Amino acid sequence: RTKVDIIVVPFVTIIVGGVVAKFVGPGISSFMTAIGSFVNWATTIQPILMGIIVSVVVGMALTAPISSAALCIMLGLDGLAAGAATVGCCANMLGFAIGSFPENGIGGFISQGIGTSMLQVPNIVRRPAIWLPSILTSAILGPFATTLFAMTNNAAGAGMGTSGLVGNINTYIVMTAAGEAPGIVLLKIALIQIILPLLLAWGFTVLFRRIGWIKKGDMKLELQE
């Protein structure tokens, strides 16, 4: 330690970060863009399989202590892939919100359903089974989003889900701009991004509580104590 650590540490961090961004960043950016292009293409070719994969992976990224929004933007997800990603995020947020309602009440419902399901990370570490209802809901609804509902979105909204309703609003903007009737778009959003995630996640949670995979208090938020 020195007396100038408070100056040296941020200075070195900024310089090293700038150098890495300058020389390594472009390669990483190109790599991520290529992956995103492949995902977007693959989702149009195999909407059922990719609908499951994208919905589950991005939904889990939203709940995990990483940024699903940044991931989707880096990958440049759009179209059906972005639509599946949005549904996966909605399934995680609303899944934990409704599933933990007995422990956390309306405050927990709002903080997770409109805020972030990341609040459950400490509980997931202790009891991974509590993640299953949201994951299964994502896997089921992802293919419906890419086929029957034909949901689309952009990269900015794909990884947000119901967080601040950003995912839902961007879905409406993108789909209506493509020429779909506003009323139909709102109905689709209500069904596959809100109502069905709530119903499915609640059903799975009730089932897992009955068979003992999820126990009372497993999803209690510490901020409620």
Side-chain angles (χ1 to χ4, degrees), residues 74-107:
M74 287 189 295
L75 292 174
L77 293 188
D78 60 17
L80 292 175
T86 306
V87 169
C89 292
C90 292
N92 269 259
M93 295 184 65
L94 295 177
F96 277 113
I98 192 67
S100 69
F101 190 83
E103 287 98 336
N104 302 309
I106 189 64

Side-chain angles (χ1 to χ4, degrees), residues 10-129:
F11 178 78
V12 172
T13 302
I14 292 171
I15 295 299
V16 172
V19 171
V20 171
K22 174 68 175 178
F23 295 102
V24 181
I28 295 176
S29 177
S30 298
F31 177 71
M32 296 298 289
T33 300
I35 292 178
S37 297
F38 172 77
V39 171
N40 290 332
W41 170 80
T43 305
T44 61
I45 302 301
Q46 292 288 342
I48 295 178
L49 176 61
M50 292 303 296
I52 295 172
I53 294 173
V54 173
S55 182
V56 170
V57 170
V58 178
M60 293 181 71
L62 178 137
T63 297
I66 58 177
S67 175
S68 57
L71 176 64
C72 290
I73 292 172
M74 287 189 295
L75 292 174
L77 293 188
D78 60 17
L80 292 175
T86 306
V87 169
C89 292
C90 292
N92 269 259
M93 295 184 65
L94 295 177
F96 277 113
I98 192 67
S100 69
F101 190 83
E103 287 98 336
N104 302 309
I106 189 64
F109 183 90
I110 294 173
S111 63
Q112 295 172 92
I114 302 181
T116 176
S117 53
M118 200 180 298
L119 295 170
Q120 286 288 349
V121 168
N123 292 331
I124 292 173
V125 172
R126 288 191 289 267
R127 190 75 173 178

Side-chain angles (χ1 to χ4, degrees), residues 5 7 19 27 54 60 73 95 103 145 172 177 187 189 198 200-201 205 211 214 218:
D5 279 357
I7 298 175
V19 171
V54 173
M60 293 181 71
I73 292 172
E103 287 98 336
Y172 177 83
L187 179 60
I189 290 172
L198 286 171
L200 282 174
T205 303
I211 64 178
I214 298 177
D218 282 348

Side-chain angles (χ1 to χ4, degrees), residues 87 90-91 94-95 98 133 136-138 140-142 144-145 148-149 187-204:
V87 169
C90 292
L94 295 177
I98 192 67
L136 291 173
T137 300
S138 300
I140 292 172
L141 294 181
F144 282 95
L148 181 63
F149 288 84
L187 179 60
K188 288 183 176 182
I189 290 172
L191 282 173
I192 199 164
Q193 293 184 357
I194 299 175
I195 297 174
L196 290 177
L198 286 171
L199 292 177
L200 282 174
W202 175 252
F204 282 125

